[in-house]
Amino acid sequence: MPRWSDYTTGERIKILRGRDIRQSDLAEMTGLSVPTIQHAEQDKRLTLQTLLLIANALGVDTSVVLGQTAPRRAMEQDDRAMMRALSRAVHDIAAGVLPDGGTAPGVDEVSENCRRSWDLYWQGRYVEAGALAAPLLAEAAALLREQPAGEEAAAWGLLADGYRLAGYVANLLGARDLAYAAIGHAQTAAERAGDDLRRALVMSGRSWVYLRDARLPEALTLAERAATDIEPRFSRATTGQLVAYGSHINFAAVVASRMGDRERVKDYLSQSHATGARMGAEARAHGTVFGPVTAATQAVGINVALGQTGKALNLIKDIAPEHEGALAEAARHRYAMDKAMAQADAKLWDASLDTLEQALAKAPHWARHQALPSIIVQKVGKGSTARLRRVSKLLGGGIPGTGPSGFAPATARTAL
């Protein structure tokens, strides 16, 4: 498959335009004439002004159009537009640049908008969550600006939540620099809020960015700190505290599994399962979800990462469909990927492709932002040719690349 830089500039414009945007649509979006768009795509003539207008309309940097930077696989025009708006919001608000507007909404309204944004995220609707994160940041910043001295803690906390959401979306869509920037601003806001729980949530988020960037030792250090800093006393812990601790200690197990540290994994999984058992059911709090089913299903992926295929398959046998129904949608889809990976490792080719095909068909919008499906297909050396074709079609082929800001291509160790 050709590299992004192997295409001509005109070919890159056509690919970025895709099937949903006609030449006449792009002309209207840019204010240029159709012949000007045609000349650009035919590599006949492309002035600097035309280049800037086309790049802006397609939601990419000029470096992407010129082939100097590759776009992320499966990133569509709406995705790119959302990412540019989110990037502007993160950087502008951190610099104190707020949109003009009237009175800021109250704490309750911003809190509700924050909850809705996180709900979209856990449904696997990342582009929609990212689209809401930009105005959420503006609302939280406006709220902060109106608070009397000494009463800003709640607003700082909401701002930290907004930045963390922006960082998570950027991390999933492969925008490394934006992910680092957003999680850094989230850390500052959490510190200003004086909220230990939010500090731990941000620390765990930074660990995830490190994991995606293959900085495994640093990721593990942060994941461990995030969990130990908020370890509750079970006898008097609230549901919210258990959700936060369980998700943090479970993530520490995930990172340890990527490093092959079985002793740490065993310890962390034990604590994760104990926390889930104490809760008795799945619960959402602080922009995260955890419970006994989450602990069990994520243990599958953790054992896959450790190469313990038999153990992963045995765990799968104990997870019934009704158990999966208790998970957040994104977690349910991710479990399907882990299950398909375990089946592929066991050379159950058709079973793996069947699991993968069902998951991709149920959640195409979620799947196109994931690296693991392609890794699973690469693992499947044998299987139904017809099914392989169907799965490949669902994956959409896409454009090869490393991401708009340079994450290394995801592997089975860093895809999460």
Side-chain angles (χ1 to χ4, degrees):
M1 182 177 287
R3 293 174 300 177
W4 184 243
S5 58
D6 292 336
Y7 295 104
T8 68
T9 298
E11 288 170 337
R12 285 189 287 269
I13 293 172
K14 288 180 189 177
I15 293 169
L16 291 168
R17 178 164 60 79
R19 284 175 281 184
D20 295 333
I21 302 175
R22 298 169 300 179
Q23 287 182 335
S24 58
D25 296 328
L26 185 55
E28 185 176 345
M29 292 161 67
T30 57
L32 299 169
S33 67
V34 172
T36 299
I37 299 298
Q38 291 172 337
H39 289 159
E41 293 192 356
Q42 293 165 5
D43 293 302
K44 289 183 178 178
R45 187 169 183 269
L46 180 64
T47 66
L48 177 59
Q49 181 185 20
T50 299
L51 170 64
L52 292 171
L53 289 171
I54 289 176
N56 185 63
L58 294 175
V60 297
D61 292 336
T62 55
S63 63
V64 174
V65 178
L66 295 173
Q68 297 160 348
T69 303
R72 187 183 185 276
R73 177 193 175 277
M75 187 174 280
E76 298 175 353
Q77 200 272 338
D78 287 347
D79 304 349
R80 297 192 297 269
M82 179 278 293
M83 289 299 294
R84 291 194 77 183
L86 184 59
S87 179
R88 288 170 180 169
V90 167
H91 294 305
D92 284 356
I93 289 166
V97 180
L98 298 183
D100 294 332
T103 304
V107 171
D108 290 343
E109 184 177 344
V110 179
S111 298
E112 177 61 17
N113 290 340
C114 186
R115 184 194 64 76
R116 289 173 180 167
S117 300
W118 279 108
D119 280 350
L120 286 171
Y121 178 86
W122 284 108
Q123 290 170 31
R125 295 158 64 182
Y126 304 125
V127 175
E128 293 174 67
L132 288 185
L136 173 64
L137 283 168
E139 289 179 352
L143 175 66
L144 176 63
R145 184 173 56 185
E146 294 192 1
Q147 298 310 296
E151 298 180 20
E152 305 99 336
W156 276 117
L158 289 167
L159 190 59
D161 293 343
Y163 277 129
R164 184 163 61 91
L165 176 60
Y168 280 21
V169 170
N171 205 37
L172 271 165
L173 270 66
R176 180 183 65 182
D177 291 349
L178 181 58
Y180 273 113
I183 210 69
H185 297 318
Q187 181 176 336
T188 299
E191 293 289 344
R192 298 293 294 272
D195 187 326
D196 290 341
L197 185 54
R198 277 191 170 96
R199 277 195 288 262
L201 288 164
V202 171
M203 194 182 304
S204 184
R206 182 180 287 277
S207 174
W208 181 32
V209 177
Y210 283 174
L211 178 62
R212 179 68 180 85
D213 205 17
R215 297 172 62 179
L216 297 181
E218 294 147 292
L220 182 58
T221 297
L222 281 179
E224 289 175 332
R225 280 180 54 197
T228 56
D229 282 357
I230 59 169
E231 184 173 359
R233 292 191 177 182
F234 279 20
S235 60
R236 59 189 190 203
T238 65
T239 297
Q241 289 173 325
L242 291 172
V243 167
Y245 176 69
S247 62
H248 281 66
I249 201 67
N250 199 82
F251 184 69
V254 169
V255 181
S257 73
R258 269 49 175 185
M259 296 185 68
D261 192 332
R262 298 192 179 196
E263 287 305 310
R264 271 194 169 106
V265 168
K266 184 178 179 181
D267 181 30
Y268 295 151
L269 280 182
S270 174
Q271 295 176 60
S272 170
H273 287 303
T275 305
R278 177 73 181 179
M279 293 174 62
E282 304 298 296
R284 298 188 184 204
H286 313 296
T288 191
V289 184
F290 188 75
V293 183
T294 297
T297 54
Q298 291 201 2
V300 172
I302 288 167
N303 279 285
V304 169
L306 287 173
Q308 299 177 158
T309 305
K311 192 169 184 178
L313 291 173
N314 285 333
L315 289 171
I316 289 168
K317 291 177 184 177
D318 295 331
I319 299 170
E322 58 266 27
H323 296 149
E324 295 180 45
L327 294 169
E329 288 181 50
R332 190 160 61 247
H333 304 326
R334 172 59 202 226
Y335 168 61
M337 297 298 104
D338 290 332
K339 182 177 178 181
M341 180 68 88
Q343 292 166 331
D345 286 343
K347 299 183 179 181
L348 302 171
W349 312 125
D350 284 347
S352 177
L353 286 172
D354 188 49
T355 300
L356 181 57
E357 183 179 5
Q358 290 180 37
L360 294 176
K362 287 178 182 176
H365 295 295
W366 174 87
R368 66 188 178 86
H369 298 299
Q370 307 299 314
L372 203 52
S374 294
I375 294 170
I376 294 169
V377 169
Q378 292 168 20
K379 265 185 171 287
V380 177
K382 298 178 181 178
S384 164
T385 302
R387 184 174 282 124
L388 268 170
R389 281 199 298 266
R390 290 200 303 269
V391 170
S392 296
K393 186 175 181 180
L394 287 168
L395 285 173
I399 303 165
T402 61
S405 294
F407 270 129
T411 67
R413 295 181 72 194
T414 60
L416 188 68

